[in-house]
């Protein structure tokens, strides 16, 4: 039996990923590909506390996305923030994570990507925000028509904060360093390229890098 497309049911929403905190579901909104990021209830918390926590984290992530975007930091478009439902509707970025892009061998472009990421993080810090969970899995590389990597997009602002604290900035720098050194033989060189970009975009770079060095040596003697 032929199905009249006008009467066919809409395509099922597909679960993209279920993490510890949130699930991501692909959907369409006015013809555009979007992702719904919904924070999941935790059975071990009191239900009222759980609802309040999920709502406040959703609100905080929405506010951080908007503030980052206003500071010129590339982040997904935010189409909606349904705070009671703990759900954000985000632009679905077509691309891969920076971690994947480095693994498939952007080759000589790896340093260029990391330098650009440094500039982006510098802009975020310059605007008085920290990311709080800066890993190569929380950076997307847009797909582009010519096969070369497109622009970078910073995602996952669930732990972002508004603070000028050099310690919090140092934590951002250190988390990325650990992520690079754990997954890449050229992690050290990639992080150096990242710091070059960072210095060029954040006037408070010296204090933040001093904290990075302190956090590093604390780790060594842990
Ligand atoms: N706006 C987006 N566009 C495309 N992919 C995304 C987007 N947001 C998240 N993802 C994908 O989903 C994964 C998990 O999303 P994230 O916001 O990092 O949540 P979590 O808190 O579970 O880490 C990301 O690593 C990325 O692969
Ligand atoms: Mg993430």
């Amino acid at each position: 039996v032929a199905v009249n497309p006008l009467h066919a049911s809409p395509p099922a929403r597909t679960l993209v990923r279920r993490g510890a905190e949130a699930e991501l579901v692909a959907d369409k909104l006015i013809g555009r590909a979007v992702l719904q990021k919904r924070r999941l209830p935790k059975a071990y918390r009191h239900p009222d506390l759980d609802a309040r926590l999920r709502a406040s984290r959703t609100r905080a992530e929405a506010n951080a996305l908007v503030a980052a975007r206003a500071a010129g930091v590339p982040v997904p478009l935010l189409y909606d923030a349904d705070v009671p439902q703990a759900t954000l509707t985000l632009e679905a970025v077509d691309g891969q994570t920076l971690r994947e892009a480095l693994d498939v061998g952007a080759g000589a472009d790896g340093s260029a990507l990391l330098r650009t990421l440094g500039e982006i993080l510098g802009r975020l810090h310059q605007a008085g925000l920290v990311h709080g969970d800066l890993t190569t899995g929380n950076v997307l590389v847009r797909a582009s028509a010519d096969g070369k990597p497109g622009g970078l997009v910073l995602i996952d602002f669930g732990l972002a904060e508004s603070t000028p604290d050099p310690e919090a900035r140092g934590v951002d720098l250190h988390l990325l360093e650990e992520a690079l050194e754990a997954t890449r033989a050229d992690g050290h060189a990639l992080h150096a390229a990242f710091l070059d970009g960072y210095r060029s975009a954040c006037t408070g770079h010296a204090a933040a890098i001093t904290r990075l060095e302190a956090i590093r040596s604390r780790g060594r003697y842990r």
Side-chain angles (χ1 to χ4, degrees), residues 39-197:
R39 287 191 153 71
L40 301 166
K42 302 271 191 200
Y44 59 79
R45 283 185 203 134
H46 186 282
D48 295 346
L49 172 68
D50 185 60
R52 257 182 291 137
L53 266 179
R54 287 188 295 130
S56 74
R57 287 180 188 169
T58 301
R59 190 183 302 109
E61 183 165 11
N63 286 336
L65 280 167
V66 171
R69 193 173 189 84
V73 172
V75 297
L77 281 165
L78 177 66
Y79 289 110
D80 191 26
D82 184 339
V83 171
Q85 292 297 320
T87 302
L88 300 180
T89 303
L90 300 161
E91 166 194 1
V93 174
D94 179 20
Q96 50 188 179
T97 65
L98 177 59
R99 182 177 181 164
E100 292 160 347
L102 292 173
D103 282 347
V104 300
D109 288 335
S111 298
L113 288 174
L114 266 297
R115 198 194 143 80
T116 303
L117 179 60
E119 290 166 10
I120 288 170
L121 187 76
R123 228 177 285 155
L124 189 74
H125 285 184
Q126 192 69 27
L129 294 162
V130 296
H131 184 275
D133 193 15
L134 190 66
T135 64
T136 49
N138 284 334
V139 181
L140 300 178
V141 184
R142 281 190 194 274
S144 68
D146 59 9
K148 291 198 200 112
L152 299 182
V153 181
L154 213 49
I155 61 167
D156 201 356
F157 281 73
L159 296 173
E161 274 184 274
S162 174
T163 172
D165 182 7
E167 176 76 15
R169 293 178 177 178
V171 168
D172 272 353
L173 304 179
H174 185 248
L175 272 177
L176 185 75
E177 180 172 66
E178 283 195 317
L180 287 171
E181 292 189 345
T183 56
R184 306 283 317 170
D186 56 352
H188 187 76
L190 292 175
H191 195 251
F194 165 79
L195 287 181
D196 277 345

